[in-house]
Amino acid sequence: MAEVKTREFVSASDSAMKDASLRRALRQVGGGFNEARLEAIEEVSWETWEEWREEARRTKIHALENLDYYLELLHDRVTAAGGHVHFARDASQANSIVAEIARSRNVKIATKSKSMVSEELDLNQSLEANGVEVYETDLGEYIIQLAGETPSHLVAPALHKTKEQVSELFHQELGVPLTDDIEEMARVARRVLREKFLSADLGISGANFLVAETGTLVIITNEGNGRLCTSAPRIHIGITGMEKVIPSLQDLAVFLRLLPRSATGQRLTSYVSMVTGPRRNDDEDGPEEFHLVLVDNGRSRLLADPDLREALYCIRCGACLNICPVYGKIGGHAYGWVYPGPIGAIVSPALVGLKEAKDLPHASSLCGACREVCPIRINIPRMLLHLRHRLAESPLETENATTTGERQAAQAYSWLMSNPAALSAAAKVGRLVQKPFVSGGKVSKRVPLPLVSKWTGGRDLPALPRQTFREMWAQGLESVAELRE
Amino acid sequence: MVEKQNLTSLGVPKDDFLDHVRRSLGRTHPVVPPPLHLPLTENLADLEGRAAAARERLEETRGELADRFEGTARARNWNVFRTSSAEESIGYITQLAGRLGISRAARADQPVFGELGVDSALRNTGVELFVAAHDESTSGPRVRDRIIESGLGITGADYAVAETGSVVVVPRQGLSRLVSLVPPVHLAIVRPKDLVESIDDVFLFRRLEYLRNGGDMGSYLNFITGPSRTADIEMKLVVGVHGPREVHLVLLA
């Protein structure tokens, strides 16, 4: 499984915020993708959009509620089409399945199209350990692979890199001249990877959707690398999370309308490819073998939890990342694992353990924008609150985000706020005590405030005002006018 | 050569995996869910009825569909040439080959080519045309090599979708997966009868195909909507990464 760095969230987000080129890139993403999304919705009308969302949500609820049935149907139909289906309980099992197919089929070179699940499994590393050369072929993923990094966005994995950095990377790794022409960089990738496609024995893809009724794997792409991966090599392995299954071919239509519009504002991506088993005898070309690897790896924990099950409805469009004020400031890497942003703050804790990722549910202002833009209307803020609640109530000290000090402070605050006399007395005492430390309406940074130091580290603590609202009220409105002057 | 061992089921046995899923859902026994939209085992007669009604609807709105398809296709960056004259359409194709300065082209083997007679016209301009279809002399890797050498790939369309401006190809005998993908330029010929209104129509007809063929609708299907694109570097749009950079439609309507 991919390395888990979720414990470093606080320090990682702190340094991300100081990275000027990352912040520039993030501003582009937030604006660009989101504006394109709105334009694409307005074109079909908001009313239609809401109908689509409703239909998609209903389909996901139904599919997940009956996941065992649809997985069995999918298995039967893929098998009937001449493919093989393998079930993996966890990451290491999934990696072993792929390694075993590669070994027994004497695979030397594999090309891969974009797949977040393969990132989750750290599949490349596992294949390389088994002597297989693996090439990422999505341009963004290829850049990341050359740089030895991980994706920072669900849809645009290399958005944190500037064109100068990409040019330098290609120069170093591929020996091509430096350039500031992005088209030239794309041409270089086309040339280098075209050769790999044609010599690869194995093509690996993820899946955006799996259609149970017909046993079909669906991938949605723009570059054409997904088509090459599923067409040129003699073996195709599709690897994906078990939650991707939908009942029938006709259920697919609404998702094809929602996903590209939500992700990049496109009405449809350049390519939608639908794979049903290996090539048939009469076909001109296509892989001789088709394998589908269905991965649980913690998803059944989300399935079993009625409070969190809807996280499995996610279709990985990235719209919640593009709108999120937190993601917009810190980017994807700070989240410390494969799935960033608001939905990642729910999925990652479920897959790597809440204890391991206890900061993630707090990485949100609960503004609700993620829920507003989600094409499946996933109630992300509710689940984030639920996880916070679970952390606060956890009997395990190691999982417990609420310290005894915080608990006592919260109790004291709640008592104070429900006792007007005490509140008024406290305000008077507070004003006296703060006097030596106040300047310009703010409490000096030199004052140690252990309980709120995380908060005051990045912000000024405002001083208590000269008068409380209750005192103003008692004196009548004239005193407010005086204060203004 | 490694002996082909049986790889039918690696990992967890299916029944154990499904049992775990079932228990996560709080169930102990399999339950057949009520159909969501349409029964998955819709009978052939019902489906044929729906498909016939759809075909009638499409027939009645053919002209309108062609206009709408032309508009959405242009918006998705297809170069659209609309004509009802076979001669003009052949002229467009030979001119394109001339402008590209190519010496080799590949085409699929689909009925539309018999109707049009593109081959001799292209060959007369000095282009070596390869028909990427299965026979003794051109099978296997040779087909692939000839497609790779081609500067232009020409296909028909199984469906042309007005809603999205997509050409749908269903690779099979006579239609290589690579003809519309590997050459840097792709040209698709769309006949009026290929036009459908929406992606729902495509899936309705594929579903009918599936039931008619006893549970097989072919191994592959591609919606092609404009040229290959990427915006992976600084969100700047670049056309033509792994697939064609330039795509053309000859709309015979």
Side-chain angles (χ1 to χ4, degrees):
Chain A
M1 197 156 93
E3 195 186 348
V4 179
K5 294 182 192 160
T6 42
R7 280 181 186 277
E8 293 156 34
F9 176 76
V10 173
S11 61
S13 50
D14 202 42
S15 40
M17 278 192 289
K18 290 168 185 149
D19 182 339
S21 80
L22 175 64
R23 294 191 62 171
R24 209 164 36 242
L26 287 168
R27 268 198 301 277
Q28 262 177 355
V29 176
F33 280 151
N34 197 47
E35 270 166 38
R37 186 185 68 85
L38 288 171
E39 206 176 289
I41 295 171
E42 271 152 22
E43 190 188 75
V44 296
S45 89
W46 283 95
E47 200 185 339
T48 306
W49 184 250
E50 292 307 324
E51 282 168 19
W52 289 350
R53 287 174 88 195
E54 186 57 42
E55 184 188 339
R57 185 174 173 84
R58 209 166 44 228
T59 303
K60 279 289 183 183
I61 291 172
H62 174 86
L64 269 299
E65 250 170 29
N66 298 286
L67 186 60
D68 54 333
Y69 176 83
Y70 288 116
L71 284 174
E72 178 137 45
L73 184 62
L74 176 74
H75 167 273
D76 293 349
R77 299 292 158 92
V78 171
T79 309
H84 305 282
V85 183
H86 313 283
F87 294 93
R89 188 148 287 164
D90 56 25
S92 80
Q93 198 166 38
N95 288 336
S96 315
I97 292 169
V98 178
E100 179 56 22
I101 297 169
R103 190 197 59 76
S104 73
R105 298 297 185 254
N106 201 21
V107 168
K108 299 277 179 258
I109 300 177
T111 50
K112 237 181 103 222
S113 67
K114 197 171 150 15
S115 148
M116 291 308 288
V117 172
S118 72
E119 297 287 341
E120 170 186 331
L121 308 173
D122 208 357
L123 179 63
N124 291 3
Q125 194 265 336
S126 152
L127 275 171
E128 278 158 12
N130 282 281
V132 178
E133 280 177 46
V134 192
Y135 295 92
E136 291 289 346
T137 58
D138 172 87
L139 179 57
E141 290 281 348
Y142 182 57
I143 292 167
I144 298 269
Q145 185 186 31
L146 286 179
E149 295 177 10
T150 55
S152 65
H153 189 282
L154 293 173
V155 173
L159 77 87
H160 59 284
K161 287 230 165 307
T162 62
K163 65 176 185 216
E164 289 77 19
Q165 290 168 333
V166 175
S167 169
E168 179 63 33
L169 183 70
F170 280 10
H171 177 63
Q172 295 283 332
E173 298 292 322
L174 306 171
V176 295
L178 291 170
T179 173
D180 60 0
D181 180 1
I182 292 178
E183 288 192 22
E184 174 58 24
M185 298 177 206
R187 273 196 294 274
V188 167
R190 177 186 171 102
R191 199 176 60 234
V192 173
L193 291 171
R194 177 59 64 92
E195 189 194 312
K196 305 301 177 196
F197 278 124
L198 298 174
S199 53
D201 317 281
L202 169 64
I204 301 172
S205 77
N208 292 98
F209 304 100
L210 298 165
V211 181
E213 173 188 31
T214 52
T216 303
L217 173 150
V218 184
I219 53 173
I220 295 179
T221 63
N222 273 310
E223 295 182 4
N225 61 316
R227 289 177 70 190
L228 278 162
C229 280
T230 55
S231 296
R234 62 186 160 89
I235 303 166
H236 171 206
I237 301 179
I239 185 158
T240 193
M242 65 178 185
E243 79 281 15
K244 297 283 171 71
V245 64
I246 57 173
S248 86
L249 205 52
Q250 285 181 276
D251 295 320
L252 179 60
V254 75
F255 291 100
L256 295 187
R257 294 182 176 115
L258 285 169
L259 178 53
R261 285 181 172 87
S262 297
T264 56
Q266 287 176 284
R267 282 58 170 179
L268 197 61
T269 49
S270 297
Y271 308 118
V272 175
S273 308
M274 300 173 56
V275 178
T276 312
R279 64 176 290 183
R280 306 293 189 265
N281 280 337
D282 291 342
D283 287 2
E284 296 300 333
D285 43 22
E288 294 153 21
E289 279 185 42
F290 172 68
H291 297 268
L292 178 62
V293 182
L294 294 168
V295 182
D296 181 334
N297 202 32
R299 286 164 176 76
S300 51
R301 281 199 291 276
L302 284 171
L303 192 66
D305 188 335
D307 286 313
L308 299 176
R309 185 183 292 171
E310 66 173 313
L312 293 174
Y313 305 165
C314 173
I315 56 173
R316 308 277 188 263
C317 67
C320 64
L321 279 58
N322 302 335
I323 200 83
C324 177
V326 177
Y327 180 90
K329 288 281 178 289
I330 64 174
H333 287 153
Y335 287 83
W337 204 56
V338 182
Y339 302 103
I343 190 67
I346 300 160
V347 173
S348 295
L351 270 50
V352 306
L354 185 55
K355 175 180 147 190
E356 199 61 37
K358 63 185 169 60
D359 286 325
L360 298 190
H362 295 279
S364 166
S365 64
L366 300 178
C367 70
C370 45
R371 184 188 181 193
E372 288 293 309
V373 300
C374 176
I376 319 293
R377 289 188 184 148
I378 299 173
N379 195 339
I380 296 172
R382 181 191 59 74
M383 289 191 282
L384 291 172
L385 260 180
H386 173 79
L387 288 174
R388 290 184 192 184
H389 185 241
R390 188 178 291 180
L391 281 162
E393 296 294 313
S394 170
L396 297 170
E397 193 57 39
T398 43
E399 268 189 14
N400 200 342
T402 314
T403 63
T404 316
E406 279 168 352
R407 201 180 290 277
Q408 283 167 353
Q411 277 163 1
Y413 180 78
S414 132
W415 177 82
L416 196 62
M417 294 312 278
S418 48
N419 288 277
L423 181 63
S424 143
K428 283 186 184 121
V429 174
R431 280 200 293 265
L432 276 175
V433 173
Q434 75 176 3
K435 215 160 204 174
F437 309 107
V438 170
S439 72
K442 290 163 191 157
V443 176
S444 162
K445 292 254 184 223
R446 282 172 292 121
V447 183
L449 296 161
L451 277 178
V452 290
S453 61
K454 271 189 195 165
W455 194 87
T456 55
R459 302 171 188 82
D460 291 314
L461 181 64
L464 293 168
R466 277 189 289 153
Q467 269 190 310
T468 66
F469 178 75
R470 280 170 184 279
E471 287 161 358
M472 287 181 214
W473 188 258
Q475 286 168 23
L477 287 176
E478 295 82 26
S479 70
V480 178
E482 272 168 38
L483 259 170
R484 282 236 180 86
E485 288 154 19
Chain B
M1 186 68 200
V2 179
E3 201 189 324
K4 287 230 167 165
Q5 80 184 77
N6 183 5
L7 293 179
T8 302
S9 65
L10 303 167
V12 189
K14 180 192 78 175
D15 290 340
D16 293 358
F17 191 92
L18 294 182
D19 189 54
H20 182 68
V21 169
R22 204 169 287 131
R23 275 186 286 112
S24 303
L25 288 163
R27 280 200 287 270
T28 48
H29 298 290
V31 176
V32 177
L36 180 62
H37 299 295
L38 293 159
L40 295 182
T41 49
E42 192 175 13
N43 74 49
L44 190 57
D46 286 353
L47 193 54
E48 272 174 343
R50 287 203 298 128
R55 249 179 246 114
E56 203 172 303
R57 164 174 52 83
L58 296 172
E59 202 51 59
E60 280 166 12
T61 55
R62 202 60 85 190
E64 220 175 283
L65 273 181
D67 293 345
R68 193 169 161 220
F69 175 67
E70 184 186 350
T72 48
R74 282 189 199 281
R76 304 287 91 82
N77 302 97
W78 287 96
N79 299 287
V80 183
F81 180 71
R82 188 169 169 181
T83 178
S84 49
S85 138
E87 206 175 310
E88 278 182 14
S89 65
I90 292 168
Y92 183 82
I93 297 169
T94 51
Q95 271 173 27
L96 173 67
R99 178 175 67 70
L100 294 169
I102 54 165
S103 54
R104 293 190 182 90
R107 76 154 170 86
D109 187 13
Q110 289 166 279
V112 66
F113 295 101
E115 296 160 22
L116 269 187
V118 184
D119 297 15
S120 55
L122 262 181
R123 283 178 177 137
N124 285 342
T125 65
V127 173
E128 194 185 320
L129 181 70
F130 170 63
V131 180
H134 195 81
D135 69 46
E136 287 301 307
S137 61
T138 58
S139 64
R142 231 176 97 73
V143 176
R144 176 192 284 208
D145 290 344
R146 299 296 295 273
I147 296 171
I148 294 165
E149 290 162 3
S150 297
L152 170 66
I154 309 173
T155 66
D158 288 289
Y159 310 94
V161 190
E163 176 191 357
T164 55
S166 312
V167 165
V168 177
V169 290
V170 184
R172 57 180 178 272
Q173 186 171 25
L175 179 54
S176 156
R177 298 181 182 209
L178 302 182
V179 179
S180 58
L181 174 62
V182 168
V185 181
H186 171 215
L187 182 141
I189 303 172
V190 174
R191 301 162 300 176
K193 64 177 174 185
D194 302 326
L195 289 164
V196 298
E197 191 178 330
S198 67
I199 42 185
D200 301 293
D201 290 334
V202 176
F203 292 145
L204 170 63
F205 293 134
R206 292 321 291 163
R207 207 161 182 246
L208 180 64
E209 186 80 10
Y210 181 79
L211 276 192
R212 271 192 185 151
N213 287 343
D216 192 3
M217 56 170 190
S219 64
Y220 208 49
L221 180 148
N222 258 297
F223 285 79
I224 302 172
T225 313
S228 153
R229 301 172 172 92
T230 187
D232 274 354
I233 304 175
E234 294 195 352
M235 294 192 65
K236 298 282 185 320
L237 180 71
V238 176
V239 170
V241 201
H242 298 296
R245 60 178 148 76
E246 197 179 307
V247 291
H248 296 261
L249 271 174
V250 172
L251 176 55
L252 299 171

